[in-house]
Amino acid sequence: MMEDGLTSPRTEGTPQGGPLSPLLSNILLDDLDKELERRGHRFVRYADDFEVFVKSKAAGERVMASLERFIEERLRLTVNRDKSAVGRPWKRKFLGYTVTTNRKPKLKPDPKSVKRLKTKLKELFRRGRGWSLARTIRELSPILRGWGHYFRLADVEGVFEELGPVNAT
């Protein structure tokens, strides 16, 4: 682990981004999945990130309190209270996605995800001054293709329109 530019040995946890981390979280949190199913909750979980859907704020606060107890007492894990909250779906984000407030909700990229894309593109264009058009396209294509594939379930048309006009004629 790097700490202040120096390598120090790990004393707990697994390296973030390593292949062991999601496997261990799935094994450990399987009991949480079963508990949520037993209680009849609607939920989604990816590794250690999850959302539980309830009908009211009061129900959300009750469920949150009981899940914190379950996670801390039964699973012996620490809940990150800075990342944990009760809120409307369109006020929350999950894996870079959020939902619209329309009567028929749609997925959309979270504004922070769009901002990160714009920052990455700005850096590429700044670094690429003087590049040939072919090289610029070569560098740009995997970024846009990857972002588009990741958010393929979302309504991203407006995001790409916001990035700049494209003349198809």
Side-chain angles (χ1 to χ4, degrees):
M1 176 170 79
M2 291 291 281
E3 198 172 330
D4 297 325
L6 301 172
T7 305
S8 60
R10 276 189 155 315
T11 56
E12 61 182 39
T14 58
Q16 192 172 11
L20 193 56
S21 187
L23 175 65
L24 289 175
S25 70
N26 281 333
I27 291 168
L28 191 59
L29 294 175
D30 185 58
D31 286 344
L32 175 65
D33 294 345
K34 288 176 181 164
E35 180 67 14
L36 289 167
E37 287 169 358
R38 188 187 67 74
R39 294 180 186 188
H41 288 305
R42 290 180 162 181
F43 69 97
V44 60
R45 183 175 68 79
Y46 182 82
D48 64 343
D49 289 326
F50 66 97
E51 299 273 328
V52 179
F53 304 99
V54 295
K55 292 188 178 195
S56 69
K57 185 174 182 174
E61 288 169 356
R62 268 193 318 275
V63 168
M64 178 114 159
S66 71
L67 284 178
E68 280 182 354
R69 276 192 308 277
F70 179 85
I71 290 168
E72 291 177 348
E73 293 171 10
R74 178 109 174 260
L75 300 179
R76 294 190 161 109
L77 296 171
T78 304
V79 174
N80 183 340
R81 285 180 174 75
D82 293 334
K83 291 173 112 182
S84 305
V86 173
R88 307 296 294 177
W90 51 88
K91 300 259 185 185
R92 304 283 302 145
K93 71 173 184 168
F94 183 68
L95 303 176
Y97 282 89
T98 189
V99 294
T100 63
T101 57
N102 300 351
R103 185 161 178 79
K104 191 172 182 181
K106 294 180 184 178
L107 288 174
K108 67 178 187 175
D110 180 66
K112 287 182 181 175
S113 299
V114 175
K115 187 175 182 180
R116 275 194 304 273
L117 172 66
K118 287 179 178 181
T119 300
K120 189 181 251 187
L121 294 175
K122 266 185 199 175
E123 289 170 4
L124 183 134
F125 288 128
R126 193 171 292 126
R127 198 175 66 239
R129 288 196 174 118
W131 286 353
S132 68
L133 181 58
R135 180 170 178 196
T136 302
I137 291 170
R138 216 174 29 250
E139 298 282 335
L140 192 57
S141 289
I143 295 169
L144 294 177
R145 193 173 27 252
W147 201 86
H149 284 303
Y150 184 82
F151 288 105
R152 70 184 174 276
L153 300 174
D155 182 13
V156 294
E157 197 174 284
V159 173
F160 282 117
E161 286 174 359
E162 188 183 310
L163 290 175
V166 176
N167 188 350
T169 56

